[in-house]
Amino acid sequence: MKLSTFLLKVFKIGCIGFGGGSALIPVMEEEFIGKGKLDTKENFDNDVIVATLTPGALPIELASSLGRRNFGHKGMVLGGVMMALPGIILTVSLLTILASLQDQIGHIIKCLTVGIAGFIIYLLLNYIRNVFLRCKKISKTFSYRAGAVAIGVFLLSCESNLYKILGIDATPIFSVSTFHILLTAFFLIFCIKSSKHLLVKIGATILSGANLLLHGKSEIIHSDVFSYVVAVLMVATVILCGFRSINKLFSVHIPIREILSDLKIWVLFLLLTLVPALVLNPQSLLFAAKGTLSTVMSFGGGDAYLVIADGLFVGDGWLSEDVFYSQIVSVVNILPGSILAKTLTAIGYVYGSQAVGYGLGGIAFAVAGVGCSVAASCGVFGFIYLLYEEFATSTVFRTFSNYIRPIIAGLLGNVMLVLINQSKQTSISLNIPLWIVLGMLFLLIVVDFILVKKAKLKPIYLIVLNIICSLCLLFFL
């Protein structure tokens, strides 16, 4: 198979990429292993395992890995880009159309967001259900622990949106950001699993609690000095616990030359995609940093990435909650391709349009979003792939893999509250009774579950049905 043929096939698969990255695994296996005989099933299975265990966009990682093994660095980069390209082009095109027609069809778009919110909530509930089915397969005891973790994370994050829905005018006690919840979770898991000393484990637990209290909305602990001390102690604890892991790495063969060679290519790719935005606005550097960080933190699949993106890009002068959920989330969920790549590209396009101006600014930041999503996804994947045997047996790594999905499940509960509140705001802005809008929302969620279970309806048909049904709200205007 020639490189051009490989890239054309990858692009075609990207065009039919509905239903999440996992849905494309059998399609890619049939196309490149079954029909194309491009690679062995053993190699492809290893790709799938590593892509499932690592953060980032799964189909982009698989295409990049197939490209690297069979066509070198050129295939590695172009494979990932071609898988992402169809969804990215469609996302930017649809956002451009919607922006130009906002004044004429604004009320129609608001009605459509109710149907799309119902579809997204269905997806998130189904994701949470699958998480706990998976936990139950590990063990019944673990499923109880996972449930407790998910509930705890939900309670830590949900207050602000719950107050909005209930109309409570008060400062939430916790309402900790996604970033600090994930940071605390990673810190605690790493320290507990890396150290055998009870005092270190107790200290890590206390520091985790203090970090959460410092970053809650009500700032139960409010002290810059104390915040600095906690941060320093957390870093020191990670270094202390990490000595054992570092010593172990020195005792095994590490393909340093290969790792550095691949990372150099991805860093260069990221920098090249960042240049247009950097010329127009220095803020693009912060956007690239947040985009790369959000990709590296995106464990748990594309739907879970919405949580990460919300935590890093909603508010603080970036995007409003309404723009993120009513425009970006709505658009990326009705188009094929990686949700992560589409979302980060859409964030770049919308923010760049606001910061620099429609046209050039939006496109430049969208290109930077593509660079962040592809480079960070494939860079981390490639690094872990080359060290797979060592990481696969690591207690810390396995614990991350087991607990990250329950943590994401708890955070997704908060995302569902955001979508419910968005529907509430739609009822207010369109002057439609709240019970009608919320009734439509919950009815669509139930119907989606029934249609998938009984009729095995594909996601694309579900969302079309939801959109058509939500147009019924126009009769109440």
Side-chain angles (χ1 to χ4, degrees):
M1 185 183 293
K2 294 181 179 179
L3 175 60
S4 58
T5 305
F6 168 71
L7 296 176
L8 181 60
K9 288 180 179 292
V10 169
F11 185 82
K12 287 179 179 178
I13 292 172
C15 291
I16 60 167
F18 294 97
S22 298
L24 291 181
I25 292 174
V27 178
M28 296 181 72
E29 183 173 356
E30 174 65 20
E31 193 64 51
F32 297 118
I33 310 303
K35 292 179 182 177
K37 307 294 183 184
L38 178 68
D39 215 326
T40 65
K41 190 175 187 308
E42 182 183 2
N43 283 340
F44 186 74
D45 286 344
N46 285 336
D47 286 345
V48 172
I49 291 169
V50 177
T52 303
L53 294 175
T54 52
L58 184 144
I60 292 174
E61 293 169 347
L62 294 181
S64 176
S65 185
L66 282 166
R68 182 189 186 280
R69 253 194 322 273
N70 295 282
F71 305 103
H73 284 149
K74 187 185 294 185
M76 177 181 77
V77 175
L78 292 177
V81 171
M82 292 301 280
M83 180 61 78
L85 204 56
I88 285 166
I89 292 172
L90 290 171
T91 298
V92 172
S93 301
L94 187 51
L95 284 171
T96 303
I97 294 169
L98 290 177
S100 62
L101 298 176
Q102 184 72 40
D103 294 335
Q104 293 89 336
I105 60 171
H107 60 291
I108 296 177
I109 293 173
K110 286 184 178 180
C111 289
L112 294 182
T113 59
V114 176
I116 294 169
F119 173 72
I120 296 169
I121 291 174
Y122 153 73
L123 285 180
L124 301 185
L125 286 171
N126 194 50
Y127 177 92
I128 293 169
R129 173 178 170 272
N130 290 334
V131 165
F132 288 106
L133 287 176
R134 176 177 174 172
C135 291
K136 199 171 181 179
K137 285 182 181 179
I138 296 175
S139 76
K140 195 172 182 180
T141 303
F142 178 73
S143 69
Y144 291 141
R145 290 203 301 266
V149 167
I151 292 170
V153 168
F154 175 69
L155 293 175
L156 284 169
S157 63
C158 75
E159 282 181 272
S160 183
N161 290 307
L162 191 60
Y163 285 8
K164 289 177 184 177
I165 293 171
L166 298 176
I168 299 173
D169 185 16
T171 302
I173 298 172
F174 290 105
S175 205
V176 182
S177 71
T178 298
F179 174 78
H180 285 292
I181 288 175
L182 287 174
L183 179 67
T184 304
F186 291 159
F187 166 76
L188 190 58
I189 291 171
F190 179 79
C191 293
I192 287 178
K193 291 300 178 180
S194 296
S195 177
K196 295 180 179 180
H197 300 291
L198 181 61
L199 285 177
V200 173
K201 295 180 180 182
I202 293 172
T205 304
I206 293 170
L207 286 172
S208 298
N211 190 56
L212 291 174
L213 292 174
L214 278 164
H215 294 98
K217 288 284 185 184
S218 65
E219 296 180 326
I220 296 173
I221 300 176
H222 179 63
S223 168
D224 291 339
V225 174
F226 188 68
S227 178
Y228 176 76
V229 170
V230 169
V232 170
L233 288 175
M234 287 176 72
V235 171
T237 306
V238 167
I239 293 172
L240 178 66
C241 295
F243 273 132
R244 190 163 152 258
S245 300
I246 292 169
N247 288 333
K248 183 182 176 183
L249 283 176
F250 280 126
S251 65
V252 300
H253 171 67
I254 301 175
I256 295 177
R257 183 172 294 180
E258 283 186 80
I259 291 172
L260 291 179
S261 177
D262 286 3
L263 288 179
K264 180 179 67 177
I265 296 294
W266 287 121
V267 169
L268 181 61
F269 173 76
L270 175 58
L271 291 175
L272 287 174
T273 58
L274 182 59
V275 168
L278 189 58
V279 170
L280 294 172
N281 193 325
Q283 189 75 358
S284 59
L285 279 175
L286 183 56
F287 170 74
K290 283 184 172 245
T292 303
L293 178 62
S294 69
T295 303
V296 173
M297 293 172 66
S298 64
F299 290 89
D303 296 324
Y305 181 71
L306 301 179
V307 172
I308 312 297
D310 182 319
L312 289 174
F313 290 107
V314 174
D316 296 330
W318 290 91
L319 301 175
S320 68
E321 198 171 82
D322 182 59
V323 167
F324 181 72
Y325 285 98
S326 65
Q327 292 184 33
I328 292 175
V329 174
S330 300
V331 166
V332 301
N333 275 283
I334 63 174
L335 297 174
S338 160
I339 289 180
L340 188 157
K342 289 182 296 184
T343 303
L344 195 48
T345 301
I347 290 170
Y349 179 75
V350 173
Y351 176 75
S353 299
Q354 294 172 354
V356 181
Y358 280 101
L360 206 56
I363 297 296
F365 272 79
V367 170
V370 176
C372 294
S373 59
V374 174
S377 293
C378 298
V380 173
F381 170 86
F383 175 74
I384 300 298
Y385 186 87
L386 292 171
L387 293 173
Y388 171 63
E389 290 185 4
E390 295 303 319
F391 275 91
T393 58
S394 163
T395 304
V396 175
F397 191 72
R398 280 187 278 118
T399 305
F400 273 141
S401 178
N402 287 336
Y403 276 101
I404 189 61
R405 284 172 175 79
I407 292 169
I408 293 295
L411 291 169
L412 288 179
N414 188 44
V415 171
M416 287 188 279
L417 292 182
V418 172
L419 294 169
I420 293 170
N421 182 57
Q422 180 188 324
S423 295
K424 177 186 173 183
Q425 297 307 314
T426 296
S427 76
I428 294 170
S429 63
L430 297 179
N431 201 27
I432 300 175
L434 181 60
W435 68 270
I436 292 176
V437 174
L438 292 185
M440 170 73 75
L441 177 69
F442 291 116
L443 179 63
L444 289 173
I445 296 168
V446 173
V447 169
D448 286 346
F449 269 106
I450 293 172
L451 288 175
V452 170
K453 187 173 182 180
K454 300 294 183 182
K456 308 296 182 185
L457 214 61
K458 293 183 178 179
I460 184 61
Y461 299 122
L462 279 183
I463 198 162
V464 170
L465 178 64
N466 280 27
I467 286 173
I468 293 171
C469 290
S470 63
L471 288 175
C472 295
L473 292 173
L474 293 172
F475 291 112
F476 296 96
L477 289 178

